[in-house]
């Protein structure tokens, strides 16, 4: 190798190393790209996309366009001021359910029945008014079952009181058989105070609704007395039975040997009325009498059969029973 060429290369390397040591490492040269890193496109331009090289453009055209029905609208931001309230008061409107659309048949039915039809719903639940009315009616039904007839009413009717073999209200509900039998004390009292072999024997019992007796029995009993008196039909000694059942008339029929028994009793309360009373009638009831031999006039209350009208009607039914010497299905067959 040429010694002169080696010496020249060595000298150049040494100079380069000395320059690097004294001045430090030379900065890296960065060449600017020929295209911008971020491109902004103005979609409102009619002549295609236009590139804006500067990141902070001073053009008057907006970078963001708002469109309404295909027409671009320039965004406008109102300057905030301290005088303007942050929360603008909006008038509150009371919530209202949508109007129920009832068919003509439902509207006609609502005029003829107190049943809960066409009351509507709020989502999957009953409306608040309907639910509260239901709870009120249920509470009235419970009060009717567990209530008691007042002594003042018994004194107004001038009747004495006897009991069945039931000891309390819970036993009365769970043991209907005990409500169909008189206590031993009641049997003795009835035989002592009541007229034997009457044409008509009237008995009263709270049954499953003391409210029904409180509300209706006075008008029914007085109207029945007046009706039987006008028909010249003898009536026996009326008395009151606490916690009695309908079939109790069979045992009383055997004790007094009455031709007709009229049993005024409070019926099981429903969710429409807790004051409904019924009148059961039977010709010569005895132990073993079947239900087909009884008759009943039910739904006696201010929303059903008016008490005064029911009492007068019972008198005519008693007259038919005595005339045909039958009741229930047998009476219907003889009348027909």
């Amino acid at each position: 190798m040429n010694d002169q060429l080696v010496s020249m290369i060595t000298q150049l390397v040494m100079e380069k190393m000395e320059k690097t040591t004294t001045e430090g490492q030379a900065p890296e040269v960065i060449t600017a790209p020929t295209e911008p890193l971020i491109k902004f496109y103005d979609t409102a331009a009619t002549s295609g996309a236009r590139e804006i090289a500067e990141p902070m453009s001073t053009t008057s055209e907006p970078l963001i366009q708002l469109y309404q029905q295909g027409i671009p609208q320039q965004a406008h931001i109102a300057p905030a001021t301290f005088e303007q309230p942050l929360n603008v008061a909006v008038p509150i409107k009371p919530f209202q359910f949508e109007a129920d659309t009832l068919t003509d048949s439902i509207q006609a039915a609502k005029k003829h029945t107190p049943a809960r039809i066409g009351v509507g719903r709020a989502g999957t639940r009953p409306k608040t008014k309907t639910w509260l009315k239901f709870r009120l009616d249920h509470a009235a039904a419970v009060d009717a079952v567990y209530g008691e007839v007042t002594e003042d009413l018994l004194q107004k009717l001038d009747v004495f009181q006897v009991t069945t073999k039931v000891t309390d209200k819970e036993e009365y509900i769970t043991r209907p058989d005990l409500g169909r039998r008189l206590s031993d004390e009641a049997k003795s009292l009835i035989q002592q105070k009541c007229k034997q072999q009457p044409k008509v024997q009237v008995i009263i019992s709270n049954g499953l609704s003391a409210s029904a007796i409180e509300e209706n029995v006075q008008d029914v009993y007085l109207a029945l007395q007046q009706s039987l008196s006008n028909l010249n039909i003898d009536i026996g000694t009326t008395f009151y039975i606490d916690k009695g059942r309908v079939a109790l008339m069979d045992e009383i029929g055997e004790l007094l040997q009455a031709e007709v028994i009229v049993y005024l009793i409070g019926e099981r309360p429903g969710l429409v009325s807790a004051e409904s009373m019924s009148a059961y009638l039977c010709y010569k009831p005895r132990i073993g009498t079947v239900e087909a031999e009884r008759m009943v006039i039910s739904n006696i209350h201010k929303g059903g059969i008016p008490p005064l009208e029911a009492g007068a009607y019972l008198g005519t039914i008693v007259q038919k029973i005595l005339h045909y010497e039958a009741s229930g299905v047998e009476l219907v067959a003889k009348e027909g």
Side-chain angles (χ1 to χ4, degrees):
M1 181 178 292
N2 190 347
D3 295 337
Q4 185 178 0
L5 180 57
V6 172
S7 176
M8 186 179 298
I9 293 173
T10 303
Q11 185 178 0
L12 291 175
V13 171
M14 294 296 293
E15 291 179 357
K16 182 66 174 177
M17 291 177 64
E18 289 178 359
K19 185 177 180 181
T20 302
T21 303
T22 56
E23 297 180 3
Q25 185 176 3
E28 182 180 359
V29 179
I30 302 176
T31 58
T34 58
E35 296 182 358
L37 298 179
I38 301 176
K39 296 180 180 180
F40 296 89
Y41 295 93
D42 183 8
T43 57
T46 57
S47 59
R50 182 180 63 208
E51 298 182 0
I52 303 176
E54 297 82 359
M56 299 296 294
S57 175
T58 58
T59 178
S60 60
E61 297 180 0
L63 300 179
I64 300 175
Q65 297 287 337
L66 300 179
Y67 293 89
Q68 183 177 3
Q69 298 179 353
I71 303 175
Q73 301 290 336
Q74 184 174 356
H76 174 71
I77 301 176
T81 61
F82 291 101
E83 297 178 357
Q84 183 179 2
L86 296 178
N87 297 325
V88 179
V90 179
I92 300 175
K93 297 182 179 179
F95 177 78
Q96 294 181 350
F97 289 103
E98 295 182 0
D100 296 328
T101 55
L102 301 178
T103 62
D104 295 339
S105 60
I106 294 180
Q107 292 179 2
K110 286 175 69 68
K111 296 178 181 179
H112 296 87
T113 176
R116 290 174 173 81
I117 58 175
V119 295
R121 303 184 71 84
T124 59
R125 300 183 180 184
K127 293 183 178 180
T128 302
K129 183 179 180 179
T130 303
W131 175 246
L132 293 178
K133 183 64 168 60
F134 173 83
R135 294 293 301 272
L136 177 63
D137 293 340
H138 182 267
V142 173
D143 291 342
V145 172
Y146 285 91
E148 299 292 344
V149 175
T150 60
E151 290 293 335
D152 293 340
L153 178 61
L154 300 181
Q155 291 176 4
K156 289 180 181 179
L157 299 175
D158 192 21
V159 296
F160 65 94
Q161 179 175 343
V162 296
T163 59
T164 61
K165 291 187 177 182
V166 174
T167 57
D168 55 33
K169 190 67 75 171
E170 295 297 333
E171 188 176 50
Y172 174 73
I173 295 173
T174 58
R175 292 289 305 275
D177 57 314
L178 297 180
R180 301 187 185 107
R181 291 292 181 267
L182 292 169
S183 64
D184 295 336
E185 181 183 356
K187 292 179 183 179
S188 301
L189 194 60
I190 290 173
Q191 289 176 338
Q192 291 174 9
K193 292 190 174 184
C194 290
K195 179 181 179 180
Q196 294 293 321
Q197 298 181 351
K199 281 285 185 180
V200 178
Q201 175 63 52
V202 180
I203 54 180
I204 304 170
S205 178
N206 52 357
L208 286 168
S209 177
S211 301
I213 301 300
E214 289 282 342
E215 293 294 328
N216 307 299
V217 73
Q218 188 171 1
D219 291 339
V220 173
Y221 179 59
L222 295 178
L224 175 59
Q225 278 185 318
Q226 185 64 42
S227 178
L228 294 176
S229 176
N230 294 337
L231 296 171
N232 296 320
I233 298 175
D234 183 35
I235 186 171
T237 308
T238 305
F239 58 93
Y240 172 78
I241 306 173
D242 184 40
K243 303 178 184 67
R245 296 281 181 173
V246 174
L248 190 59
M249 62 167 41
D250 301 343
E251 187 173 9
I252 296 171
E254 286 197 354
L255 284 175
L256 301 178
Q257 297 296 309
E259 288 195 44
V260 179
I261 286 186
V262 180
Y263 196 174
L264 306 177
I265 187 171
E267 285 286 12
R268 180 183 293 107
L271 293 176
V272 173
S273 174
E275 302 171 352
S276 180
M277 191 183 77
S278 292
Y280 288 83
L281 304 94
C282 189
Y283 178 72
K284 291 185 177 180
R286 302 293 185 266
I287 294 177
T289 298
V290 297
E291 297 303 316
E293 298 177 22
R294 308 186 204 279
M295 304 178 67
V296 61
I297 307 300
S298 61
N299 203 33
I300 302 173
H301 60 94
K302 60 185 179 182
I305 302 175
L308 292 174
E309 180 180 334
Y313 179 66
L314 287 173
T316 62
I317 297 297
V318 170
Q319 185 182 31
K320 287 183 180 181
I321 292 174
L322 291 172
H323 175 71
Y324 290 101
E325 297 182 347
S327 61
V329 176
E330 188 178 356
L331 174 62
V332 175
K334 287 185 176 183
E335 278 189 305

